[in-house]
Amino acid sequence: MFYPDLLPAMGVPSGIGSADIVADAGSPFPVTLVRVFNDAGTAGTTGLAEEQMAASDALQNGDTAALIAPPDVQRFRLNIGVRTLDQGVAFALTVRDKNGVIVKTTAKSFGPNFFIQPGSATMLDGYALTGEETITIAISSGSAFIYGSTTDNTTQDPSVQFAKRIE
């Protein structure tokens, strides 16, 4: 199947969200490729391809992971996305400046099968990034995919970094 634009195909005119792909019982997991993009009409699109992720790829209770803030917050903005699974999630966020000094801590929790992608200042309870920070995520219950969406403020070209477990 091919959808030129999934949201309108679902009756949603625009916006952001997540899609769960579920195979029929006994069937193998389907192969997918998704392009997330900004449509500039005759000027084309900017965006990225995103591969499927299994529930086992999500951050789990006891995991610690990290995101890296853009170096130039005037040119790039960071949104922090959270997509919870069936148990919801609770986690602590610790922001460290480029020298490793803790500059902000906060805790968050979200219910089951929930999605949010606010600006970093909203997720960090008002802390405005200055550039080059690291954001550590410590999962205390449940599971979720957590990612940073960095967008060029001039072209609106997005990129994504999924928080990876710190071993």
Side-chain angles (χ1 to χ4, degrees), residues 90-161:
F91 56 91
L93 293 163
T94 302
V95 182
R96 289 177 177 80
D97 69 15
K98 64 183 177 183
N99 298 312
V101 176
I102 294 174
V103 293
K104 177 69 179 178
T105 59
T106 189
K108 298 290 178 183
S109 62
F110 300 102
N113 301 307
F114 180 78
F115 173 74
I116 189 170
Q117 183 185 300
S120 58
T122 299
M123 184 65 78
L124 299 172
D125 295 336
Y127 177 78
L129 296 172
T130 60
E132 299 186 64
E133 290 95 339
T134 58
I135 303 166
T136 304
I137 302 134
I139 307 293
S140 57
S141 68
S143 59
F145 294 100
I146 301 177
Y147 63 93
S149 173
T150 301
T151 303
D152 182 306
N153 287 328
T154 302
T155 66
Q156 304 310 308
D157 190 30
S159 64
V160 67
Q161 61 171 312

Side-chain angles (χ1 to χ4, degrees), residues 71-95:
D72 184 343
V73 295
Q74 302 307 310
R75 294 184 55 212
F76 301 94
R77 66 184 180 275
L78 177 70
N79 289 9
I80 299 174
V82 178
R83 173 54 164 90
T84 68
L85 301 179
D86 291 342
Q87 311 87 3
V89 72
F91 56 91
L93 293 163
T94 302
V95 182

Side-chain angles (χ1 to χ4, degrees), residues 3-23:
Y3 295 98
D5 195 339
L6 182 60
L7 291 177
M10 295 171 41
V12 179
S14 66
I16 62 172
S18 70
D20 292 349
I21 299 168
V22 180

